[in-house]
Amino acid sequence: MSPRLSLLPALVAALLLALLPVAPAGSTAAPAMTAAAGSDDNPLAGGTWGVYRGGAEMAWAPYERASGRKRELLAMIADAPKAKWFGDWIPDGAIGAKVKEYVANAQAGDPDALVQLTVFRMVPWEHEACTRLPTKAEKTSYKRWIRRFAAALGDTRAAVVLQPDGPFALCAPRGSTELSRLVGYAARTLAALPRTAVYIEVGSAGWNHLDPQLAVKQLVRAGIRKVRGFHLNTTHYETTERQVRFGAEVVAALAARGIAGKHFTVDTAQNGRGFTWEHNRKHHGGRFDNAPTCRTRQQTHCVTLGIPPTWRVADERWGLPDDVRRLAAQHVDGYLWAGRPWLRRQAKPFDLQRALAVTRTTPYR
């Protein structure tokens, strides 16, 4: 798996005001939100959620080139607070400058704006991680890259999703914990920063076979004790309800292991009409990471934008069941967009037709 500020038309601004419960830094859409009563412990609550507007975000240039209705739709992606991915395609010697540029752009002069980032640096990863362990040189490079990433982030108010597709760490050859220990190194290094909240990615409810102990196994190995919590659903399409219920079970299972007080975030970029891997295999086949987009706003079990990025996780406007709202209010720090359903196979390049489809059909417009 591996976006310069532009004034929006009045119509788009109105749409975004209704869509986003948090205004991006410098946005014309809505004022900054202040923390609500009872949210003081949540590092994501209140203030402004920054939006990167520059060429390193694949959705930005297509939005800038667009006009009319197409521009209005693409604004739902381009002007949303997202967690940009940083990975091994950025050399060790360049990562510090890349992070600093991203932070400066996203904060747009507001040092208290929350910046969101996704760290996807592990080599090997995904299926390759099941066949070999990292070399000595790869381990050295990984740690150097992480240190430079952290140094550049410094005292930035940040939320970091750490290593999407996390369950791959458990398929390392011969039961090795080497990959998990490297993730743990990154977790400790980033968690030591004064204003960074780290969420270790742990796949999805379905990927863990609805067994919280599988998630606990991965999280304990990866250093969950040192960080704020974990993240669910980055590259899957499962419903928010399913993730919140499962995440609460993982929190309880961690507490039973003596690791209490953990929170989590849920990826809602692509689960507006959620479905599982098994449903996709039965009804669509093909590549799961390029599952079919919705054709209408009424269609179900298809890819479209979910709940917009927010720390107001129990808001009635999301239409969540009462039990899910209660669990979210207790355990969930935010709904984040680290997933990227507007990209081909969620990786690259930008796919205009997918982007228009997921914005046109979302139930959260």
Side-chain angles (χ1 to χ4, degrees), residues 297-309:
R297 294 186 67 186
Q298 290 71 42
Q299 185 183 354
T300 61
H301 302 90
C302 49
V303 183
T304 191
L305 300 180
I307 296 172

Side-chain angles (χ1 to χ4, degrees), residues 203-260:
S204 69
W207 198 339
N208 286 280
H209 306 288
L210 298 178
D211 181 357
Q213 295 303 329
L214 289 177
V216 168
K217 180 179 180 180
Q218 178 197 325
L219 290 169
V220 170
R221 287 183 176 185
I224 188 65
R225 295 178 186 272
K226 299 293 185 179
V227 304
R228 173 70 180 178
F230 56 94
H231 183 74
L232 287 163
N233 213 38
T234 309
T235 59
H236 281 224
Y237 312 94
E238 297 174 29
T239 65
T240 300
E241 293 94 322
R242 196 182 206 214
Q243 302 313 299
V244 171
R245 289 172 177 141
F246 178 74
E249 293 180 1
V250 175
V251 169
L254 286 168
R257 290 279 297 266
I259 308 172

Side-chain angles (χ1 to χ4, degrees), residues 113-177:
L114 179 75
V115 178
Q116 300 173 57
L117 313 93
T118 302
V119 171
F120 192 66
R121 176 58 178 81
M122 188 66 66
V123 175
W125 197 240
E126 297 178 327
H127 295 290
E128 187 184 9
C130 305
T131 63
R132 73 172 183 90
L133 296 175
T135 65
K136 182 178 180 180
E138 287 170 336
K139 289 186 286 187
T140 298
S141 175
Y142 178 86
K143 292 181 178 180
R144 180 170 56 236
W145 190 99
I146 290 295
R147 288 194 300 270
R148 292 176 178 179
F149 180 98
L153 203 54
D155 64 356
T156 301
R157 183 184 176 215
V160 175
V161 174
L162 180 55
Q163 203 57 40
D165 295 343
F168 276 110
L170 298 182
C171 77
R174 301 177 297 279
S176 173
T177 60

